[in-house]
């Protein structure tokens, strides 16, 4: 039996004239199928198909819904068909359109970086709250990837001096692009965690390190299959990179400075123990909207 995504219904139906609000002349471009046709034939959930079609056409999703029978140029039909096939094969939507929203802003992404997750916004929320009224704080984002965390902090706190580090030159290229486009002032550093930071100290260190165990079956399922493996797992039990970040933090935090890390759903207890062993005080974990302990924080003795 074919999979649901391989079933492609007929697209033949009358095509009325396009509304004046949409500047597409399909007849002259050789197109014959409308957005409604392409969405229903895509083998994808309609919501996903609309995202891809909006990317190809430049139309808003509202236009795709309100003008579903406007014929499209052949080049757009072909471009959409290619993207739809890649999506049916499992490629993440974010990589197909080259962007993902985070904290209300659009960030460029590629297979060189982890796709920003909504749950990581909790790490940013907690970090911004930790800065409070501190003037001109120095903030470090370790393993910055797309730069979403660093850029967000820099824009939400324009007085902050933000440094973002990543070992991957390809990831840093994406992060720098996002910083430029968003107008964020950030010091980008190629570094294996703290290695290239010298004696620099910060009031706040944020990290979303790879924390998935190497044998976790989810690494071979869904969108995750296409993301950089090194940004997802430490190659071991999932706590290795977290411990490296935690153990190295005291040498790079100011007195009373704070460390916040994101971690897995079942790692909070082990992470709190690592914080305590590194000498942090006031250690506690914060739950996300799903009730999962997702972020742990601690304060260096002042």
């Amino acid at each position: 039996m074919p999979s649901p995504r391989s079933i492609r219904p007929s697209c033949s139906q009358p095509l009325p004239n396009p509304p004046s609000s949409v500047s597409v002349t399909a007849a002259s471009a050789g197109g014959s199928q409308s957005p409604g046709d392409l969405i229903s034939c895509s083998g994808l959930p309609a919501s996903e198909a609309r995202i891809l079609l909006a990317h190809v056409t430049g139309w808003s999703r509202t236009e795709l819904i309100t003008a579903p029978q406007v014929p499209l140029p052949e080049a757009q039909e072909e471009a959409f068909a290619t993207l739809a096939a890649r999506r049916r094969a499992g490629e993440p939507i974010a990589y197909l359109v080259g962007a993902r929203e985070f904290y209300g802003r659009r960030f460029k992404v590629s297979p060189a970086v982890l796709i920003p997750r909504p749950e990581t916004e909790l790490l940013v929320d907690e970090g911004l709250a930790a800065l409070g009224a501190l003037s001109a704080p120095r903030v470090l984002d370790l393993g910055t990837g797309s730069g979403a965390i660093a850029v967000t902090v820099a824009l939400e706190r324009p007085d902050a001096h933000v440094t973002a580090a990543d070992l991957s030159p390809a990831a840093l290229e994406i992060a720098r692009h996002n910083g430029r486009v968003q107008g964020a002032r950030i010091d980008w550093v190629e570094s294996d965690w703290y290695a290239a930071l010298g004696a620099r100290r910060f009031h706040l260190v944020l990290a979303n390190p790879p924390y998935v165990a190497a044998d976790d079956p989810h690494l071979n399922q869904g969108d995750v299959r296409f993301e950089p493996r090194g940004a997802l797992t430490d190659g071991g039990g999932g706590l290795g990179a977290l411990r490296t970040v935690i153990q190295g933090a005291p040498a790079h935090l100011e007195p009373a400075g704070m460390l916040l890390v994101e971690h897995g759903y079942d790692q909070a207890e082990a992470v709190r123990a690592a914080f305590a062993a590194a000498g942090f005080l006031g250690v506690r974990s914060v739950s996300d909207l799903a009730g999962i302990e997702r972020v742990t924080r601690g304060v260096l003795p002042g």
Side-chain angles (χ1 to χ4, degrees):
M1 177 180 291
S3 66
R5 284 188 171 181
S6 68
I7 299 171
R8 305 179 68 81
S10 171
C11 297
S12 299
Q13 53 185 292
L15 300 174
N17 293 328
S20 58
S21 63
V22 179
S23 58
V24 175
T25 308
S28 63
S32 62
Q33 297 191 63
S34 69
D37 295 333
L38 294 170
I39 289 169
S40 63
C41 289
S42 67
L44 300 174
S47 58
E48 292 188 359
R50 287 192 186 99
I51 292 172
L52 296 180
L53 199 51
H55 174 69
V56 167
T57 62
W59 295 9
S60 70
R61 294 185 209 178
T62 300
E63 287 174 318
L64 292 174
I65 293 171
T66 58
Q69 301 308 323
V70 178
L72 297 179
E74 186 175 0
Q76 291 183 352
E77 293 178 9
E78 293 175 354
F80 173 77
T82 298
L83 290 179
R86 290 169 63 187
R87 178 56 185 156
R88 289 195 302 275
E91 285 191 58
I93 291 281
Y95 289 160
L96 295 177
V97 303
R100 170 59 64 88
E101 184 174 297
F102 182 83
Y103 224 83
R105 300 180 178 95
R106 188 173 174 87
F107 287 86
K108 178 180 179 179
V109 296
S110 81
V113 299
L114 194 70
I115 299 169
R117 266 64 167 178
E119 55 265 31
T120 301
E121 294 187 1
L122 176 64
L123 181 66
V124 174
D125 287 339
E126 291 295 313
L128 293 171
L131 292 177
L134 186 64
S135 178
R138 294 187 300 280
V139 180
L140 172 63
D141 173 25
L142 276 180
T144 193
S146 67
I149 293 171
V151 170
T152 301
V153 171
L155 294 177
E156 296 294 320
R157 283 294 302 261
D159 64 322
H161 301 279
V162 179
T163 299
D166 203 291
L167 181 60
S168 166
L172 282 174
E173 183 179 350
I174 296 291
R176 287 191 178 98
H177 169 87
N178 284 323
R180 285 194 303 271
V181 169
Q182 300 284 357
R185 182 171 54 89
I186 297 171
D187 179 19
W188 305 102
V189 181
E190 185 177 332
S191 180
D192 185 3
W193 301 121
Y194 302 100
L197 296 174
R200 281 193 263 184
R201 289 182 177 266
F202 303 87
H203 298 100
L204 174 66
V205 174
L206 301 169
N208 179 18
Y211 54 72
V212 181
D215 61 356
D216 190 316
H218 292 96
L219 290 173
N220 298 311
Q221 299 172 8
D223 291 6
V224 174
R225 293 173 294 158
F226 294 85
E227 296 186 86
R229 189 59 60 102
L232 291 163
T233 178
D234 59 4
L239 290 169
L242 282 161
R243 289 189 174 119
T244 296
V245 169
I246 295 165
Q247 292 166 4
H252 294 280
L253 280 170
E254 293 286 1
M258 184 175 292
L259 170 66
L260 289 95
V261 301
E262 180 177 319
H263 50 73
Y265 73 96
D266 59 350
Q267 295 172 325
E269 184 176 356
V271 170
R272 287 194 295 270
F275 267 73
F280 284 92
L281 304 176
V283 178
R284 66 182 180 89
S285 298
V286 183
S287 297
D288 61 19
L289 293 176
I292 297 169
E293 291 183 312
R294 181 66 63 182
V295 171
T296 293
R297 55 185 288 173
V299 179
L300 196 68

